[in-house]
Amino acid sequence: MLRAVSRQIQNWKQEGFNPIPVSINLSANQFLQANIVSNIFSVFNEYDVSPELIELEITESMLIENESMVQHILTQLRQYGIKIALDDFGTGYSSLAYLRKFKVDTLKLDRSFIRGISDEHDDKEIVNAVISLGQSLGMAIVAEGVEKEEEFAVLRTLGINEVQGYYFSKPVMIDQVDKMLKSRKMERL
């Protein structure tokens, strides 16, 4: 996946588009490979991709499986400019100690907290608390699974950094992304 994403970033640069950051989900098996950092940078060098353009997404359960190894890998990746996102935050162990200890760049708030946020006072308060906590720790907060205008409106009032979900677009194939980028490029001319 990293190779395909890096190749695509290289293609976009050759087409004259500004580089687009991309997030990649990693499984625990992939993340805990002994040579993960050197493998990642080998691909970056092969395709001339800046590490700042990649965000690796890991899950909370990964953090507790092998804390010292995860800490070591995260430290190496961050030293080289790769951002780390904690995916599906709030559905697993959600320990505040992990937020302090592992210093991720982004918290991706799970859809289960977003669904019905405009109707549920408790969910709104939980999301507000997570946004405040994460931002005070220097993290960007992403709301996953935004599907309705009402959800988006509430999240904007709470000061969320980013949102993703069907409200904006369903998943699209790469050729559709290319068309969208070309359309945006033409609009700027």
Side-chain angles (χ1 to χ4, degrees):
M1 180 58 71
L2 181 63
R3 181 166 266 106
V5 166
S6 296
R7 188 178 318 114
Q8 187 59 56
I9 289 173
Q10 183 184 55
N11 289 344
W12 283 330
K13 288 192 313 189
Q14 290 171 349
E15 293 274 331
F17 301 123
N18 288 332
I20 300 166
V22 178
S23 295
I24 300 173
N25 289 67
L26 290 179
S27 71
N29 290 339
Q30 293 168 319
F31 189 76
L32 295 174
Q33 291 175 357
N35 54 354
I36 183 77
V37 176
S38 62
N39 286 346
I40 288 171
F41 282 95
S42 173
V43 173
F44 287 170
N45 289 332
E46 180 181 345
Y47 292 98
D48 190 29
V49 170
S50 173
E52 293 83 20
L53 294 174
I54 303 294
E55 181 175 66
L56 300 177
E57 294 186 12
I58 61 174
T59 60
E60 293 175 73
S61 60
M62 254 190 255
L63 299 179
I64 63 167
E65 288 179 12
N66 190 337
E67 285 188 33
S68 61
M69 187 171 180
V70 169
Q71 183 75 314
H72 178 70
I73 292 169
L74 288 176
T75 300
Q76 285 184 314
L77 291 171
R78 290 190 60 161
Q79 285 175 343
Y80 289 110
I82 295 178
K83 290 188 165 70
I84 306 296
L86 189 55
D87 197 18
D88 301 329
F89 184 74
T91 59
Y93 301 94
S94 301
S95 171
L96 298 180
Y98 291 131
L99 294 182
R100 180 175 38 96
K101 184 174 186 176
F102 291 102
K103 308 242 187 252
V104 298
D105 301 288
T106 304
L107 282 183
K108 296 189 78 176
L109 192 57
D110 189 71
R111 164 82 183 132
S112 62
F113 293 102
I114 307 307
R115 186 181 315 114
I117 193 171
S118 57
D119 302 325
E120 294 292 328
H121 178 73
D122 289 346
D123 285 348
K124 183 177 177 181
E125 293 306 316
I126 291 170
V127 169
N128 190 36
V130 171
I131 291 170
S132 295
L133 175 66
Q135 289 175 343
S136 71
L137 293 172
M139 300 173 191
I141 312 300
V142 177
E144 296 183 301
V146 176
E147 295 180 359
K148 298 177 182 173
E149 184 176 350
E150 299 81 21
E151 294 168 342
F152 179 59
V154 169
L155 291 164
R156 283 183 67 179
T157 64
L158 296 178
I160 194 86
N161 297 99
E162 297 177 33
V163 294
Q164 68 182 53
Y166 284 8
Y167 176 66
F168 301 97
S169 174
K170 291 186 177 183
V172 296
M173 299 300 290
I174 196 64
D175 61 329
Q176 292 172 296
V177 173
D178 288 344
K179 288 177 186 174
M180 291 161 67
L181 292 173
K182 287 176 184 169
S183 163
R184 245 181 41 195
K185 187 176 180 183
M186 295 305 283
E187 288 174 5
R188 284 188 250 141
L189 294 178

